Amino acid sequence: MTTQLHGAYSIPVEAIDVSDPQLYQDDTWYPYFERLRRDAPVHWCRESRYGPYWSVCKYKDIMQVEVNHQTYSSELGGIQIENPPDEFVVSNFIRVDPPKHDEQRKVVSPIVAPANLAEMEATIRERTIRVLEGLPRNETFDWVERVSIELTTMMLATLFDFPWEERRKLTYWSDVAIANVNAPDAPVHSHAERFEELRKMAERMGELYDERAKQPPKFDLLSMLAHGPATQNMPLREFMGNLALLIVGGNDTTRNSMTGGLWTLSQHPHEYQKLRDNPALITSLVPEIIRYVTPVIHMRRTATQDTELGGQQVRAGDKVVMWYVSGNRDPDAIEDPDNFIIDRPRPRQHLSFGFGIHRCVGNRLAELQLRVLWEELLPRHPVIEVLAPPRRTYSNFIHGMRSMPVRIPLH
Ligand code: HEM
């Protein structure tokens, strides 16, 4: 950390490039954003592997971008700092502007609305208990593999009523969709390969959709889409794009909050003890984990016109990157932001779910899964030893954790 602190403060501020995925894999991004918030909160990086871009680092400036979708488009250049090659773009509502965004979001959002989630809670709980009771004792195992991936995959399989024995395909497709194709351990190594794998996903989902359309309506995502008057006629490509969005949106982010939560608690033993002493704190623990972990590192917009942001002149066509990792550590918006405090008075004040018209549609589902996990985990396994830090993903977009060795003591 000392070297990194040094690096972040010893180079000219113009030379800082926070798009380097290495910063997130090594978990050394923090001092760079501290410096940017202090010296150049809306910062122009002239040269990077993704071309020039603006970094928006303060909470209030990020909010300004989020709420002004007329000036900051998701459609012009997509939502990641890296422009995907045009021929491989899959259309879905996270990367389009109104009116299309609003129409499509309206179709999907009732499925993850609180009333429906209440119906799913019992299934989520029963499956969570099964996973937790199957964990080994006094033996090192990978928390990511045995718990985080298993639970989020089961959740997705439940949501789609996807064939149980094929459920790991959902995990694989989600990994493929967000992979940095330049990372050595990525599941695909080119945009073409990614597109081909996602095409296979579309094919399998299409088969299931057709089956559900012929059966009487049931309570799952595919059946609801197949029978809903507003969605029956959605063009196939768009329909598939939106399914992919739900798979990705709901998978990695929640998975990494499950790993990041345990890791962070293990680094803050006093907070962990506070939680054991008072499990009612799970209600504020969950949003605090989501803030602290910040599973989505950034979202990108493209300026549709010349405008001013934080005293800087943004030009039409510029890339504007909202760094949620930085906004969530902004002391002007969140008190004592670098500390992990499980009983914060306003724990939901964070940017991890974004804001404005694209604010995460699955936020309640994510919170529900995390709440159930901690409610069932604490009485069964109050002590979990984390044996090494998580191995992190090479990505500037998703704060991924690939493995984390843990052990549950016998008593
Ligand atoms: C802790 C877990 C999660 C985090 C941190 C997260 C984060 C985000 C963020 C940052 C955005 C973009 C917000 C913006 O641009 O302002 C987003 C959008 C979205 N998320 Fe999540 N998400 C999570 C869980 C989920 C789950 C469980 C689902 C689905 C079941 C989901 C589905 C979506 C969808 C469909 C969108 C697009 C919304 C739109 O464009 O209108 N997410 N999420």
Side-chain angles (χ1 to χ4, degrees), residues 23-75:
L23 289 177
Y24 306 96
Q25 184 166 45
D26 296 344
D27 200 30
T28 49
W29 49 271
Y30 168 78
Y32 293 92
F33 285 110
E34 188 187 53
R35 169 111 190 261
L36 288 183
R37 283 194 304 272
R38 192 190 72 180
D39 296 342
V42 176
H43 171 261
W44 180 242
C45 177
R46 223 176 318 144
E47 244 181 73
S48 82
R49 69 186 81 178
Y50 312 107
Y53 67 92
W54 289 102
S55 280
V56 190
C57 303
K58 298 281 289 179
Y59 195 102
K60 72 168 181 11
D61 294 328
I62 292 175
M63 289 293 264
Q64 198 181 324
V65 175
E66 291 273 23
V67 299
N68 193 352
H69 59 264
Q70 291 90 348
T71 305
Y72 300 103
S73 163
S74 301
E75 195 161 332

Short mmCIF file of all heavy atoms in Angstrom, two decimals, residues 23-75:
data_model
loop_
_atom_site.label_atom_id
_atom_site.label_comp_id
_atom_site.label_asym_id
_atom_site.label_seq_id
_atom_site.Cartn_x
_atom_site.Cartn_y
_atom_site.Cartn_z
N LEU A 23 -5.10 -2.08 -11.35
CA LEU A 23 -5.37 -1.40 -10.07
C LEU A 23 -6.44 -2.13 -9.27
O LEU A 23 -6.42 -2.12 -8.04
CB LEU A 23 -5.88 0.03 -10.32
CG LEU A 23 -4.90 1.07 -10.84
CD1 LEU A 23 -5.63 2.38 -11.10
CD2 LEU A 23 -3.79 1.27 -9.82
N TYR A 24 -7.37 -2.75 -9.98
CA TYR A 24 -8.49 -3.41 -9.30
C TYR A 24 -8.13 -4.85 -8.97
O TYR A 24 -8.56 -5.40 -7.96
CB TYR A 24 -9.77 -3.29 -10.15
CG TYR A 24 -9.98 -1.82 -10.46
CD1 TYR A 24 -9.54 -1.26 -11.66
CD2 TYR A 24 -10.50 -0.98 -9.49
CE1 TYR A 24 -9.66 0.10 -11.90
CE2 TYR A 24 -10.61 0.39 -9.71
CZ TYR A 24 -10.18 0.92 -10.93
OH TYR A 24 -10.28 2.27 -11.14
N GLN A 25 -7.32 -5.45 -9.84
CA GLN A 25 -6.88 -6.82 -9.52
C GLN A 25 -5.98 -6.80 -8.29
O GLN A 25 -6.07 -7.67 -7.43
CB GLN A 25 -6.14 -7.45 -10.70
CG GLN A 25 -5.78 -8.89 -10.40
CD GLN A 25 -5.35 -9.66 -11.62
OE1 GLN A 25 -4.56 -9.18 -12.43
NE2 GLN A 25 -5.86 -10.87 -11.77
N ASP A 26 -5.13 -5.77 -8.19
CA ASP A 26 -4.21 -5.68 -7.04
C ASP A 26 -4.85 -4.97 -5.85
O ASP A 26 -4.23 -4.84 -4.81
CB ASP A 26 -2.94 -4.91 -7.44
CG ASP A 26 -2.15 -5.63 -8.52
OD1 ASP A 26 -2.41 -6.82 -8.74
OD2 ASP A 26 -1.30 -4.98 -9.16
N ASP A 27 -6.03 -4.43 -6.04
CA ASP A 27 -6.74 -3.71 -4.99
C ASP A 27 -5.94 -2.49 -4.50
O ASP A 27 -5.85 -2.21 -3.31
CB ASP A 27 -7.05 -4.65 -3.81
CG ASP A 27 -8.17 -4.12 -2.92
OD1 ASP A 27 -9.05 -3.41 -3.45
OD2 ASP A 27 -8.17 -4.40 -1.71
N THR A 28 -5.37 -1.76 -5.46
CA THR A 28 -4.53 -0.61 -5.11
C THR A 28 -5.09 0.69 -5.68
O THR A 28 -4.37 1.68 -5.83
CB THR A 28 -3.10 -0.81 -5.65
OG1 THR A 28 -3.21 -1.19 -7.03
CG2 THR A 28 -2.35 -1.87 -4.90
N TRP A 29 -6.38 0.70 -6.00
CA TRP A 29 -7.00 1.86 -6.63
C TRP A 29 -7.23 3.00 -5.66
O TRP A 29 -7.31 4.16 -6.05
CB TRP A 29 -8.36 1.46 -7.24
CG TRP A 29 -9.22 0.69 -6.27
CD1 TRP A 29 -9.22 -0.66 -6.09
CD2 TRP A 29 -10.16 1.21 -5.32
NE1 TRP A 29 -10.10 -1.01 -5.09
CE2 TRP A 29 -10.70 0.12 -4.60
CE3 TRP A 29 -10.62 2.50 -5.02
CZ2 TRP A 29 -11.66 0.26 -3.60
CZ3 TRP A 29 -11.57 2.65 -4.01
CH2 TRP A 29 -12.07 1.55 -3.32
N TYR A 30 -7.31 2.69 -4.39
CA TYR A 30 -7.81 3.65 -3.43
C TYR A 30 -7.08 5.01 -3.41
O TYR A 30 -7.72 6.06 -3.55
CB TYR A 30 -7.84 2.99 -2.03
CG TYR A 30 -8.07 3.98 -0.96
CD1 TYR A 30 -9.35 4.47 -0.71
CD2 TYR A 30 -7.01 4.51 -0.24
CE1 TYR A 30 -9.56 5.44 0.24
CE2 TYR A 30 -7.22 5.49 0.71
CZ TYR A 30 -8.50 5.95 0.94
OH TYR A 30 -8.71 6.92 1.86
N PRO A 31 -5.73 5.07 -3.27
CA PRO A 31 -5.07 6.38 -3.17
C PRO A 31 -5.19 7.23 -4.44
O PRO A 31 -5.16 8.46 -4.36
CB PRO A 31 -3.60 6.03 -2.89
CG PRO A 31 -3.46 4.60 -3.23
CD PRO A 31 -4.78 3.95 -3.12
N TYR A 32 -5.33 6.57 -5.58
CA TYR A 32 -5.49 7.34 -6.83
C TYR A 32 -6.77 8.16 -6.80
O TYR A 32 -6.80 9.32 -7.20
CB TYR A 32 -5.47 6.40 -8.05
CG TYR A 32 -4.12 5.77 -8.24
CD1 TYR A 32 -3.81 4.55 -7.66
CD2 TYR A 32 -3.12 6.44 -8.95
CE1 TYR A 32 -2.55 3.99 -7.78
CE2 TYR A 32 -1.85 5.88 -9.08
CZ TYR A 32 -1.58 4.67 -8.50
OH TYR A 32 -0.33 4.13 -8.62
N PHE A 33 -7.83 7.54 -6.32
CA PHE A 33 -9.10 8.28 -6.26
C PHE A 33 -9.09 9.31 -5.14
O PHE A 33 -9.69 10.37 -5.27
CB PHE A 33 -10.27 7.30 -6.11
CG PHE A 33 -10.59 6.59 -7.39
CD1 PHE A 33 -10.33 5.24 -7.55
CD2 PHE A 33 -11.13 7.29 -8.47
CE1 PHE A 33 -10.61 4.60 -8.75
CE2 PHE A 33 -11.42 6.66 -9.67
CZ PHE A 33 -11.15 5.31 -9.80
N GLU A 34 -8.39 8.98 -4.07
CA GLU A 34 -8.29 9.97 -2.99
C GLU A 34 -7.64 11.24 -3.55
O GLU A 34 -8.09 12.37 -3.33
CB GLU A 34 -7.45 9.39 -1.85
CG GLU A 34 -7.43 10.26 -0.62
CD GLU A 34 -6.45 9.74 0.42
OE1 GLU A 34 -5.26 9.53 0.08
OE2 GLU A 34 -6.88 9.52 1.55
N ARG A 35 -6.59 11.04 -4.33
CA ARG A 35 -5.88 12.18 -4.93
C ARG A 35 -6.80 12.91 -5.93
O ARG A 35 -6.88 14.14 -5.93
CB ARG A 35 -4.63 11.67 -5.64
CG ARG A 35 -3.96 12.72 -6.52
CD ARG A 35 -2.64 13.17 -5.95
NE ARG A 35 -2.11 14.33 -6.65
CZ ARG A 35 -1.18 14.27 -7.59
NH1 ARG A 35 -0.68 13.10 -7.96
NH2 ARG A 35 -0.75 15.38 -8.18
N LEU A 36 -7.47 12.15 -6.77
CA LEU A 36 -8.34 12.80 -7.78
C LEU A 36 -9.46 13.58 -7.10
O LEU A 36 -9.76 14.70 -7.51
CB LEU A 36 -8.94 11.76 -8.73
CG LEU A 36 -7.97 11.13 -9.74
CD1 LEU A 36 -8.73 10.18 -10.67
CD2 LEU A 36 -7.26 12.19 -10.56
N ARG A 37 -10.08 13.01 -6.08
CA ARG A 37 -11.16 13.75 -5.39
C ARG A 37 -10.64 15.06 -4.83
O ARG A 37 -11.31 16.08 -4.85
CB ARG A 37 -11.77 12.91 -4.27
CG ARG A 37 -12.72 11.83 -4.74
CD ARG A 37 -13.54 11.25 -3.58
NE ARG A 37 -12.71 10.75 -2.51
CZ ARG A 37 -12.22 9.50 -2.44
NH1 ARG A 37 -12.52 8.63 -3.38
NH2 ARG A 37 -11.46 9.13 -1.42
N ARG A 38 -9.38 15.02 -4.39
CA ARG A 38 -8.80 16.23 -3.78
C ARG A 38 -8.35 17.24 -4.84
O ARG A 38 -8.64 18.42 -4.76
CB ARG A 38 -7.60 15.81 -2.92
CG ARG A 38 -7.10 16.93 -2.02
CD ARG A 38 -5.77 16.57 -1.38
NE ARG A 38 -4.68 16.60 -2.35
CZ ARG A 38 -3.41 16.33 -2.06
NH1 ARG A 38 -3.07 15.97 -0.85
NH2 ARG A 38 -2.48 16.38 -3.00
N ASP A 39 -7.65 16.75 -5.88
CA ASP A 39 -6.96 17.67 -6.80
C ASP A 39 -7.65 17.85 -8.14
O ASP A 39 -7.44 18.86 -8.81
CB ASP A 39 -5.53 17.16 -7.07
CG ASP A 39 -4.69 17.17 -5.81
OD1 ASP A 39 -5.08 17.87 -4.86
OD2 ASP A 39 -3.66 16.47 -5.79
N ALA A 40 -8.42 16.87 -8.58
CA ALA A 40 -9.04 16.97 -9.91
C ALA A 40 -10.29 16.10 -9.95
O ALA A 40 -10.32 15.07 -10.62
CB ALA A 40 -8.05 16.52 -10.98
N PRO A 41 -11.35 16.51 -9.23
CA PRO A 41 -12.52 15.62 -9.07
C PRO A 41 -13.22 15.28 -10.38
O PRO A 41 -13.84 14.22 -10.48
CB PRO A 41 -13.43 16.38 -8.12
CG PRO A 41 -12.86 17.74 -7.93
CD PRO A 41 -11.43 17.73 -8.40
N VAL A 42 -13.17 16.20 -11.36
CA VAL A 42 -13.61 15.81 -12.71
C VAL A 42 -12.34 15.90 -13.55
O VAL A 42 -11.83 16.98 -13.83
CB VAL A 42 -14.72 16.74 -13.24
CG1 VAL A 42 -15.08 16.38 -14.68
CG2 VAL A 42 -15.97 16.65 -12.35
N HIS A 43 -11.81 14.76 -13.91
CA HIS A 43 -10.42 14.67 -14.38
C HIS A 43 -10.37 14.16 -15.82
O HIS A 43 -11.03 13.18 -16.16
CB HIS A 43 -9.68 13.68 -13.46
CG HIS A 43 -8.31 13.30 -13.90
ND1 HIS A 43 -8.03 12.13 -14.57
CD2 HIS A 43 -7.12 13.94 -13.76
CE1 HIS A 43 -6.73 12.06 -14.82
NE2 HIS A 43 -6.16 13.15 -14.34
N TRP A 44 -9.57 14.82 -16.63
CA TRP A 44 -9.42 14.43 -18.03
C TRP A 44 -8.17 13.58 -18.18
O TRP A 44 -7.07 14.03 -17.86
CB TRP A 44 -9.30 15.70 -18.88
CG TRP A 44 -9.14 15.45 -20.36
CD1 TRP A 44 -8.08 15.80 -21.13
CD2 TRP A 44 -10.09 14.85 -21.27
NE1 TRP A 44 -8.29 15.45 -22.44
CE2 TRP A 44 -9.52 14.86 -22.56
CE3 TRP A 44 -11.37 14.29 -21.10
CZ2 TRP A 44 -10.17 14.34 -23.67
CZ3 TRP A 44 -12.01 13.77 -22.22
CH2 TRP A 44 -11.43 13.80 -23.49
N CYS A 45 -8.35 12.35 -18.61
CA CYS A 45 -7.20 11.50 -18.91
C CYS A 45 -7.03 11.53 -20.43
O CYS A 45 -7.90 11.07 -21.17
CB CYS A 45 -7.44 10.07 -18.41
SG CYS A 45 -6.10 8.95 -18.81
N ARG A 46 -5.91 12.10 -20.86
CA ARG A 46 -5.74 12.36 -22.29
C ARG A 46 -5.44 11.09 -23.07
O ARG A 46 -5.79 10.94 -24.22
CB ARG A 46 -4.57 13.35 -22.47
CG ARG A 46 -4.88 14.43 -23.51
CD ARG A 46 -3.76 15.44 -23.59
NE ARG A 46 -3.27 15.80 -22.26
CZ ARG A 46 -1.99 16.07 -21.98
NH1 ARG A 46 -1.07 15.99 -22.92
NH2 ARG A 46 -1.62 16.40 -20.76
N GLU A 47 -4.78 10.16 -22.39
CA GLU A 47 -4.32 8.98 -23.11
C GLU A 47 -4.52 7.73 -22.24
O GLU A 47 -4.06 7.69 -21.11
CB GLU A 47 -2.82 9.12 -23.34
CG GLU A 47 -2.44 9.20 -24.80
CD GLU A 47 -0.93 9.32 -24.90
OE1 GLU A 47 -0.25 8.31 -24.66
OE2 GLU A 47 -0.47 10.44 -25.20
N SER A 48 -5.20 6.76 -22.79
CA SER A 48 -5.29 5.46 -22.09
C SER A 48 -5.52 4.42 -23.17
O SER A 48 -5.77 4.75 -24.33
CB SER A 48 -6.47 5.46 -21.10
OG SER A 48 -7.69 5.18 -21.78
N ARG A 49 -5.48 3.16 -22.78
CA ARG A 49 -5.72 2.12 -23.79
C ARG A 49 -7.14 2.19 -24.34
O ARG A 49 -7.46 1.60 -25.35
CB ARG A 49 -5.42 0.75 -23.21
CG ARG A 49 -6.40 0.31 -22.16
CD ARG A 49 -5.98 -0.98 -21.53
NE ARG A 49 -4.97 -0.75 -20.51
CZ ARG A 49 -4.44 -1.71 -19.76
NH1 ARG A 49 -4.79 -2.96 -19.95
NH2 ARG A 49 -3.56 -1.44 -18.83
N TYR A 50 -8.02 2.91 -23.64
CA TYR A 50 -9.41 3.05 -24.12
C TYR A 50 -9.64 4.43 -24.73
O TYR A 50 -10.77 4.85 -24.90
CB TYR A 50 -10.39 2.83 -22.96
CG TYR A 50 -10.07 1.60 -22.17
CD1 TYR A 50 -9.51 1.69 -20.89
CD2 TYR A 50 -10.30 0.34 -22.70
CE1 TYR A 50 -9.18 0.55 -20.17
CE2 TYR A 50 -9.98 -0.81 -21.99
CZ TYR A 50 -9.41 -0.69 -20.72
OH TYR A 50 -9.08 -1.83 -20.01
N GLY A 51 -8.56 5.16 -24.99
CA GLY A 51 -8.70 6.52 -25.51
C GLY A 51 -8.90 7.51 -24.38
O GLY A 51 -8.87 7.13 -23.20
N PRO A 52 -9.12 8.80 -24.74
CA PRO A 52 -9.28 9.81 -23.69
C PRO A 52 -10.64 9.68 -23.00
O PRO A 52 -11.61 9.24 -23.62
CB PRO A 52 -9.20 11.13 -24.47
CG PRO A 52 -9.51 10.78 -25.88
CD PRO A 52 -9.17 9.35 -26.10
N TYR A 53 -10.70 10.07 -21.73
CA TYR A 53 -11.98 9.98 -21.01
C TYR A 53 -11.96 10.89 -19.79
O TYR A 53 -10.90 11.24 -19.26
CB TYR A 53 -12.23 8.52 -20.57
CG TYR A 53 -11.26 8.01 -19.54
CD1 TYR A 53 -11.53 8.09 -18.18
CD2 TYR A 53 -10.03 7.45 -19.92
CE1 TYR A 53 -10.62 7.65 -17.22
CE2 TYR A 53 -9.11 7.00 -18.97
CZ TYR A 53 -9.42 7.10 -17.62
OH TYR A 53 -8.51 6.67 -16.67
N TRP A 54 -13.16 11.28 -19.38
CA TRP A 54 -13.32 12.04 -18.14
C TRP A 54 -13.58 11.06 -17.00
O TRP A 54 -14.36 10.11 -17.16
CB TRP A 54 -14.55 12.96 -18.21
CG TRP A 54 -14.40 14.13 -19.13
CD1 TRP A 54 -14.93 14.26 -20.39
CD2 TRP A 54 -13.71 15.35 -18.85
NE1 TRP A 54 -14.59 15.48 -20.91
CE2 TRP A 54 -13.84 16.18 -19.98
CE3 TRP A 54 -12.98 15.83 -17.75
CZ2 TRP A 54 -13.28 17.46 -20.05
CZ3 TRP A 54 -12.41 17.08 -17.81
CH2 TRP A 54 -12.56 17.88 -18.96
N SER A 55 -12.96 11.33 -15.83
CA SER A 55 -13.28 10.58 -14.61
C SER A 55 -14.11 11.47 -13.71
O SER A 55 -13.70 12.59 -13.39
CB SER A 55 -12.00 10.21 -13.85
OG SER A 55 -11.39 9.10 -14.42
N VAL A 56 -15.27 10.97 -13.29
CA VAL A 56 -16.10 11.72 -12.34
C VAL A 56 -15.96 11.01 -11.00
O VAL A 56 -16.32 9.83 -10.87
CB VAL A 56 -17.57 11.75 -12.81
CG1 VAL A 56 -18.38 12.72 -11.96
CG2 VAL A 56 -17.65 12.13 -14.28
N CYS A 57 -15.43 11.70 -10.02
CA CYS A 57 -14.99 11.03 -8.79
C CYS A 57 -15.77 11.41 -7.54
O CYS A 57 -15.72 10.68 -6.54
CB CYS A 57 -13.51 11.32 -8.55
SG CYS A 57 -12.49 10.82 -9.94
N LYS A 58 -16.47 12.55 -7.55
CA LYS A 58 -17.19 12.96 -6.34
C LYS A 58 -18.65 12.51 -6.44
O LYS A 58 -19.26 12.51 -7.51
CB LYS A 58 -17.18 14.50 -6.20
CG LYS A 58 -15.82 15.12 -6.06
CD LYS A 58 -15.24 15.00 -4.66
CE LYS A 58 -15.94 15.90 -3.67
NZ LYS A 58 -15.34 15.72 -2.32
N TYR A 59 -19.20 12.19 -5.28
CA TYR A 59 -20.58 11.72 -5.19
C TYR A 59 -21.55 12.65 -5.91
O TYR A 59 -22.36 12.23 -6.73
CB TYR A 59 -20.94 11.62 -3.70
CG TYR A 59 -22.17 10.82 -3.35
CD1 TYR A 59 -22.06 9.54 -2.85
CD2 TYR A 59 -23.44 11.36 -3.49
CE1 TYR A 59 -23.18 8.80 -2.49
CE2 TYR A 59 -24.57 10.63 -3.14
CZ TYR A 59 -24.44 9.36 -2.64
OH TYR A 59 -25.55 8.64 -2.30
N LYS A 60 -21.43 13.95 -5.61
CA LYS A 60 -22.43 14.89 -6.15
C LYS A 60 -22.29 15.04 -7.68
O LYS A 60 -23.28 15.20 -8.38
CB LYS A 60 -22.35 16.25 -5.45
CG LYS A 60 -21.15 17.10 -5.78
CD LYS A 60 -21.35 18.53 -5.26
CE LYS A 60 -20.23 19.50 -5.54
NZ LYS A 60 -19.14 19.23 -6.44
N ASP A 61 -21.08 14.96 -8.20
CA ASP A 61 -20.91 15.06 -9.65
C ASP A 61 -21.43 13.79 -10.35
O ASP A 61 -22.00 13.85 -11.45
CB ASP A 61 -19.43 15.29 -10.00
CG ASP A 61 -18.93 16.64 -9.51
OD1 ASP A 61 -19.73 17.60 -9.47
OD2 ASP A 61 -17.74 16.75 -9.15
N ILE A 62 -21.22 12.66 -9.70
CA ILE A 62 -21.75 11.41 -10.27
C ILE A 62 -23.28 11.50 -10.35
O ILE A 62 -23.89 11.17 -11.37
CB ILE A 62 -21.31 10.19 -9.42
CG1 ILE A 62 -19.80 9.99 -9.55
CG2 ILE A 62 -22.07 8.92 -9.84
CD1 ILE A 62 -19.20 8.88 -8.67
N MET A 63 -23.88 12.02 -9.27
CA MET A 63 -25.35 12.18 -9.26
C MET A 63 -25.79 13.09 -10.40
O MET A 63 -26.81 12.84 -11.05
CB MET A 63 -25.81 12.79 -7.94
CG MET A 63 -25.68 11.87 -6.77
SD MET A 63 -26.79 10.48 -6.88
CE MET A 63 -28.13 11.09 -5.90
N GLN A 64 -25.02 14.13 -10.65
CA GLN A 64 -25.40 15.06 -11.72
C GLN A 64 -25.42 14.34 -13.08
O GLN A 64 -26.30 14.58 -13.91
CB GLN A 64 -24.43 16.24 -11.75
CG GLN A 64 -25.00 17.42 -12.51
CD GLN A 64 -24.04 18.60 -12.56
OE1 GLN A 64 -23.31 18.86 -11.60
NE2 GLN A 64 -24.03 19.30 -13.69
N VAL A 65 -24.45 13.47 -13.30
CA VAL A 65 -24.42 12.71 -14.55
C VAL A 65 -25.58 11.73 -14.60
O VAL A 65 -26.29 11.61 -15.61
CB VAL A 65 -23.06 11.97 -14.70
CG1 VAL A 65 -23.06 11.09 -15.94
CG2 VAL A 65 -21.92 12.98 -14.75
N GLU A 66 -25.81 11.04 -13.47
CA GLU A 66 -26.87 10.02 -13.42
C GLU A 66 -28.25 10.59 -13.74
O GLU A 66 -29.05 9.94 -14.41
CB GLU A 66 -26.93 9.39 -12.02
CG GLU A 66 -25.74 8.53 -11.64
CD GLU A 66 -25.90 7.09 -12.08
OE1 GLU A 66 -26.67 6.81 -13.01
OE2 GLU A 66 -25.22 6.23 -11.48
N VAL A 67 -28.53 11.78 -13.22
CA VAL A 67 -29.90 12.28 -13.37
C VAL A 67 -30.12 13.04 -14.68
O VAL A 67 -31.23 13.46 -14.97
CB VAL A 67 -30.34 13.19 -12.19
CG1 VAL A 67 -30.30 12.41 -10.88
CG2 VAL A 67 -29.50 14.46 -12.09
N ASN A 68 -29.07 13.20 -15.46
CA ASN A 68 -29.20 14.00 -16.67
C ASN A 68 -28.93 13.14 -17.91
O ASN A 68 -27.92 13.31 -18.60
CB ASN A 68 -28.20 15.17 -16.58
CG ASN A 68 -28.47 16.21 -17.62
OD1 ASN A 68 -29.30 16.01 -18.52
ND2 ASN A 68 -27.76 17.31 -17.54
N HIS A 69 -29.87 12.22 -18.16
CA HIS A 69 -29.62 11.27 -19.25
C HIS A 69 -29.74 11.90 -20.64
O HIS A 69 -29.30 11.32 -21.62
CB HIS A 69 -30.54 10.06 -19.12
CG HIS A 69 -31.99 10.42 -19.14
ND1 HIS A 69 -32.71 10.59 -17.98
CD2 HIS A 69 -32.82 10.67 -20.15
CE1 HIS A 69 -33.95 10.91 -18.29
NE2 HIS A 69 -34.04 10.96 -19.61
N GLN A 70 -30.33 13.13 -20.70
CA GLN A 70 -30.37 13.80 -22.00
C GLN A 70 -28.97 14.22 -22.42
O GLN A 70 -28.62 14.16 -23.60
CB GLN A 70 -31.26 15.07 -21.96
CG GLN A 70 -32.74 14.80 -21.80
CD GLN A 70 -33.15 14.74 -20.33
OE1 GLN A 70 -32.32 14.69 -19.42
NE2 GLN A 70 -34.47 14.73 -20.08
N THR A 71 -28.17 14.64 -21.45
CA THR A 71 -26.81 15.10 -21.76
C THR A 71 -25.80 13.95 -21.73
O THR A 71 -24.82 13.96 -22.46
CB THR A 71 -26.37 16.18 -20.73
OG1 THR A 71 -27.36 17.21 -20.75
CG2 THR A 71 -25.03 16.77 -21.07
N TYR A 72 -26.08 12.95 -20.89
CA TYR A 72 -25.13 11.84 -20.74
C TYR A 72 -25.82 10.55 -21.17
O TYR A 72 -26.59 9.96 -20.41
CB TYR A 72 -24.66 11.76 -19.28
CG TYR A 72 -23.97 13.03 -18.83
CD1 TYR A 72 -24.63 13.96 -18.02
CD2 TYR A 72 -22.67 13.32 -19.24
CE1 TYR A 72 -24.00 15.13 -17.62
CE2 TYR A 72 -22.03 14.48 -18.84
CZ TYR A 72 -22.71 15.39 -18.03
OH TYR A 72 -22.09 16.54 -17.63
N SER A 73 -25.52 10.13 -22.39
CA SER A 73 -26.25 9.01 -22.99
C SER A 73 -25.60 7.66 -22.68
O SER A 73 -24.37 7.53 -22.65
CB SER A 73 -26.26 9.22 -24.50
OG SER A 73 -26.60 8.03 -25.16
N SER A 74 -26.46 6.66 -22.49
CA SER A 74 -25.96 5.28 -22.34
C SER A 74 -25.93 4.60 -23.71
O SER A 74 -25.32 3.54 -23.87
CB SER A 74 -26.89 4.48 -21.42
OG SER A 74 -26.98 5.08 -20.16
N GLU A 75 -26.64 5.20 -24.66
CA GLU A 75 -26.84 4.55 -25.95
C GLU A 75 -25.72 4.87 -26.95
O GLU A 75 -25.33 4.02 -27.75
CB GLU A 75 -28.20 5.02 -26.53
CG GLU A 75 -28.69 4.17 -27.66
CD GLU A 75 -30.19 4.34 -27.91
OE1 GLU A 75 -30.93 4.66 -26.96
OE2 GLU A 75 -30.59 4.16 -29.07
#
